[in-house]
Amino acid sequence: MGSGVLRRLPFLALTCALAFPGCAHAQWTIQAGEPRQSKVSFLVEELSKKDWDANSYADPKDVEKWQDLRYGLMISFGVTVKGNAELSWGTIGASERKAPDGNALSDGKSLPMAEWTRWDRDMKLEKFNAREWVAWAKAAGFKYIVPVIKHHDGFHQWNTAYSDYKITNTPFGRDLLKELADACKEAGMPLGIYYSQRDWHHPDYAPTGFGPNKDQPGPDHQKYIDYQFNVVRELLTKYGKISVFWWDAAWWGGMFKEQNWDAKRMTKMVRELQPGIVINNRNSVPGDFDTPEQRMGVFQTNRAWESTVSYEDTWSYTGVGAKTREQVLNLLVKTAINNGNLILSLGPEWAGNFNADEMATTVKVGDWLRAYGKAIYDTRGGPWKPGRWGGSTWRGSTAYLHVLDPKAGEIALRSISGNRVRAANVLLANGKGGVVSKPVSFSETGGVLKINVPANLHDAADTVVQLDLAKPLPKGIGLDPLPGTGAEEYSQSLHKPFDYELVYGKRTDAVAGLTSSGLSQPLRDGDLTRLIQDGGAAGFAVTTAKGDKPWVELDLGKTTFVTGVYLDADAGGQPIAISVSSDGQTYKPVWQAGDKQPKGPWEVEVNDFIAGAITPGHAARYVRVSVSGGASSALVVRQLGTWSKAAK
C-alpha cells in the first residue's frame, strides 16, 4: 500500500539512547544470515560464522537442564535502593554515571563523593534471613535464584578481598552471598550470579570516553579488567556450585564490545572454574542464551533464551506497579509456549525482608504451578507455534495446549506427521495441589486436528488441555499455525506490520471518534473505519484545512497500551509527528519523521522506558498526528492504524 518505503522507527528507543545511554535492552545474538528476532537494529548482535566459532559454549545437555527449570527469580538489591529507590538508575544521575552510561570519567584514583556512596553506612538488613528467602522462592514456584551481587553502583554484596566497598564493611557486617549460597545448597535450589561489568564507583573503570573521538578506553581501564578477573574468580571458587552467570553490559548496537572486558578469555575462565555453568549473552560474546528484557521473546528452537521481567515497574522494590497473579502467569505461560525461560525480578525492602503482599501474590503463582507445573517445567515450546488462541508445550509423547483466549471453543491445528492424538483432557485444579482430568472431544482429518474446549471448562488465567500422543515428539519441532490462526502472521502487506499478537496485541478495529484542527470536508459514512483499517480505495484520505501545524487525533475510547502505529500521510514536505495522551490534555511525543525518512508510509513502534529498559507499549487513549513545524500546510492522512494491548 502506498509508494513510500516501509520503515520501523522506534522513536522512544532513540530518546532513551540519548537520555539514558546505558539503559539495558532486549538482546539477541545471531550468526550472520540467521533470521532476526527484531527489526530494531540495536537489539540484535550479528556475528560472522568465523567470530561465532571463535567463542566457547556450554555443553547442550547443560543448557537443556537449565531450560527444564523454566522459571527463575532474580533478586535485585543493593546499596542504592535505600528509601525504596530503583537500583542504580533511580539514584545515580547522568553526571555521576561513568561513560558510556553518563558524563563522568574515571581518573584512576578518585572515588565518587555523592551521597549514595555513603548509604552503606546505614545498611543493617536487620530482617534478612537467607533461609526464609529460599523457602519463599520455593513456595512461589521458582526453580533457580540469581541474586544481583554487584550492580552498576559497584557495591559488592560479598566479602571480596579486592575492594573495601562491600557488605561486610556495613553495620550488617556479614557475607550476604555466602549465607544465600548455603541456604540454596541446603534446599537444593540452583544458584546463579548476576554481576554487572559496569561500575560507576571503581576509580579505574573506563571502557570508553577517551581519545580524539571519545570512543577509546581510559589509560587505567586494564587495571579494571584485572580487578574484574580477580573478583569473578573469587565468586566462582568460594561459594560452591554456580549454575548461571548473568553479565549485564549488553552489546546495544556496539556501545560495549568484547575488548572492553577481554570477554573471550573471561568466558573461558568462567567455564573452567564452574564446569556445566550456562552464561548469558551480555558480555559482547554469544554465551549460551539470549536475554530479551521487559518484553517477550519469539518462538525459537535453535538457541535458548530467557525473558527478564520486573515484578514491579522497577527492578528493585519501590512498591510501585506490582503485577497481579494473573499477569505473572500470563508472562510465564507465554514465555514457555515460545520455548523460553522467564526470570522475574523482585527486590527486598531496605531492612532485608521481602514485602508481604508481593510474597503472597507470587506464592499464589506457586499454587497454580503445583497443580499445572507439569505443563511448564521440563517442557519445550511446541509442537505448535503460538496461535491467536494461545500456544503449546510438550514433553516426550505428551503435549499441553495453553488456551489463553477465553472465547476459543474449537482449536484447529496442523496434524503431526507420523503421529496422532490418542486422548484429550482439560486439566482442572482439585484444590489439593493436583488436577482432575475432564475428557474433551477431538477429531483429526485431512491433516487438521480439531480440539473442542467447552466454555464451562475454561480457566480465566490459562486453560490447560493435555494431549496424549501415540509417539514421542522430536526435538526442535515447531509446526506453523494454520492460515489465519497464527500469533505472528508473515504478510507482505504493509497493513500488517505488528501482527505478533503476543508482543503487540491486536489491531484496533473501532474507535470512539476523530477530532482535528479542522477538516477540509466532513467525514462520510465509513471514512473512519477506512482510515483505521485498510485505507479504502485509491485516492482516499482524511485531509485537514491548510493552516499552521494542523493535526488529526484518534480517540480509542479508553486508555490502553498502544504498541504500534501504521501511518500513511504527508504534509507537503513539512515534518510530521505522532504523540499520545491518556487524558487529552498532556501529550507525549513518540515519533517524528526525520530528514532521512521524510515520506511514508511508516511503521512506528511505540515504546516506553520502564525499569531501565525499552518496552513495547505506552499507556494512551488518544493518538495524534500533527505537522510539527514549517510553513502553513494541509495534513493528508491516508491510513492511521493502531495496535494495542490491555497490559504490558
Side-chain angles (χ1 to χ4, degrees), residues 453-566:
V453 185
N456 65 319
L457 297 182
H458 271 274
D459 182 272
D462 175 22
T463 304
V464 180
V465 183
Q466 178 175 314
L467 303 180
D468 298 322
L469 306 173
K471 299 178 182 178
L473 291 164
K475 285 185 178 181
I477 186 170
L479 300 176
D480 289 326
L482 293 168
T485 67
E488 187 171 12
E489 297 286 314
Y490 293 97
S491 172
Q492 299 302 311
S493 167
L494 300 188
H495 305 286
K496 296 182 178 180
F498 298 104
D499 272 342
Y500 192 25
E501 191 172 312
L502 294 183
V503 174
Y504 296 107
K506 296 181 179 181
R507 182 166 184 165
T508 304
D509 56 10
V511 296
L514 180 141
T515 55
S516 70
S517 56
L519 297 180
S520 61
Q521 58 183 22
L523 292 177
R524 300 166 298 175
D525 288 345
D527 276 358
L528 191 52
T529 299
R530 284 186 281 272
L531 178 70
I532 67 172
Q533 293 183 1
D534 290 337
F540 168 80
V542 172
T543 305
T544 70
K546 189 174 182 180
D548 181 35
K549 298 182 180 180
W551 54 270
V552 297
E553 179 177 287
L554 290 180
D555 178 357
L556 304 181
K558 62 181 180 179
T559 296
T560 185
F561 286 95
V562 176
T563 58
V565 176
Y566 177 87

Side-chain angles (χ1 to χ4, degrees), residues 173-194:
R174 288 147 44 198
D175 189 328
L176 184 147
L177 177 58
K178 177 67 166 59
E179 295 186 22
L180 185 58
D182 289 346
C184 284
K185 183 178 180 179
E186 289 175 8
M189 175 71 76
L191 176 69
I193 283 177
Y194 169 109

Side-chain angles (χ1 to χ4, degrees), residues 60 71 75 159 165 193 234 305 332 411 444 470 490 551 593:
Y71 188 35
I75 299 176
N159 187 27
Y165 194 48
I193 283 177
E234 192 175 53
W305 61 271
L332 178 57
I411 299 168
E444 195 163 6
Y490 293 97
W551 54 270

Side-chain angles (χ1 to χ4, degrees), residues 329-350:
L329 281 175
N330 190 262
L331 283 168
L332 178 57
V333 170
K334 286 182 176 179
T335 303
I337 64 178
N338 276 287
N339 202 38
N341 284 23
L342 173 68
I343 188 165
L344 192 68
S345 174
L346 292 92
E349 299 178 7
W350 182 243

Side-chain angles (χ1 to χ4, degrees), residues 42 63 118 137 178 223 229 242 255 285 320 327 354 358 363 365 409 431 433 466 487 507 515 527 565 596 612 618:
F42 59 77
V63 178
R118 298 186 293 277
K178 177 67 166 59
K223 294 180 182 178
F229 270 83
I242 304 299
M255 183 172 77
V285 294
V320 178
Q327 288 173 320
F354 281 87
E358 297 189 354
V363 168
V365 175
Q466 178 175 314
R507 182 166 184 165
T515 55
D527 276 358
V565 176
K596 296 181 180 179
H618 193 286

